[in-house]
Amino acid sequence: SNQINRMFSGGENSELLERASSLGVKYYQMSFVDIFGVQRSKLVPASRADEMVGAGGAGFAGFAVHLKMSPTQGDLLAKPDMSTLKVLPWNREVAWLACDLYWCEKEFIASPRNTLRRVLSKLKQNYGLDLKVGIECEFALINRSGDGLADAFDTQKKSCYDAHALMRQYDLITNIVQ
């Protein structure tokens, strides 16, 4: 439709294809977050990006990913935000993109990304405030089999920030941080 085509009026079609070629990317990981904070995504072959853009975005079944939809409501479209494009350092053939969700040619109201954008806009318009948001990445080190912590001596009930546990994993942690 015309509204969907206008969503992609900024040249995303050619930009996706050009970026894929220049970066050696074979796939785009089109991603969004559901209402529980779980990242959802699908791989789109770079060679088919033009079809995805022509369709208005990557299609997702909203009922299958905790977005308060029923199977009768059709697919959501995930429109990539080109400013978020990042080649995955662990797989240089894949570029990740955050996506804005659309349904029935309008921003999907239950999308956390769309909700954040609306709230930021209201704060600016109503109060003149600019809210800054960021991500703090936290993780746990697990053993190779995935059934326990990497540090067998880490037995405290609340071991977070334990100086001894930290130093036992010093080599690994400093390697990750570098």
Side-chain angles (χ1 to χ4, degrees), residues 80-97:
D81 176 349
M82 290 300 295
S83 71
T84 65
L85 187 138
K86 301 285 184 246
V87 176
L88 300 180
W90 57 88
N91 186 343
R92 312 271 323 150
E93 293 183 350
V94 179
W96 178 90
L97 286 153

Side-chain angles (χ1 to χ4, degrees), residues 16-17 20 25-31 41-53 57-60 78 80 93-95 97 99:
L16 278 171
L17 295 173
V25 168
K26 294 182 180 178
Y27 294 92
Y28 288 105
Q29 184 180 6
M30 305 302 204
S31 295
S41 64
K42 72 168 36 174
L43 287 176
V44 174
S47 62
R48 310 231 8 224
D50 56 340
E51 293 173 42
M52 184 266 313
V53 171
F60 287 87
E93 293 183 350
V94 179
L97 286 153
C99 293

Side-chain angles (χ1 to χ4, degrees), residues 14-80:
S14 59
E15 188 174 355
L16 278 171
L17 295 173
E18 288 170 19
R19 296 288 293 273
S21 177
S22 68
L23 297 170
V25 168
K26 294 182 180 178
Y27 294 92
Y28 288 105
Q29 184 180 6
M30 305 302 204
S31 295
F32 67 91
V33 176
D34 70 17
I35 60 175
F36 294 108
V38 175
Q39 178 178 272
R40 306 293 181 163
S41 64
K42 72 168 36 174
L43 287 176
V44 174
S47 62
R48 310 231 8 224
D50 56 340
E51 293 173 42
M52 184 266 313
V53 171
F60 287 87
F63 76 91
V65 292
H66 300 292
L67 285 172
K68 302 274 185 185
M69 295 181 75
S70 78
T72 62
Q73 290 179 291
D75 279 353
L76 292 166
L77 293 177
K79 177 190 172 205

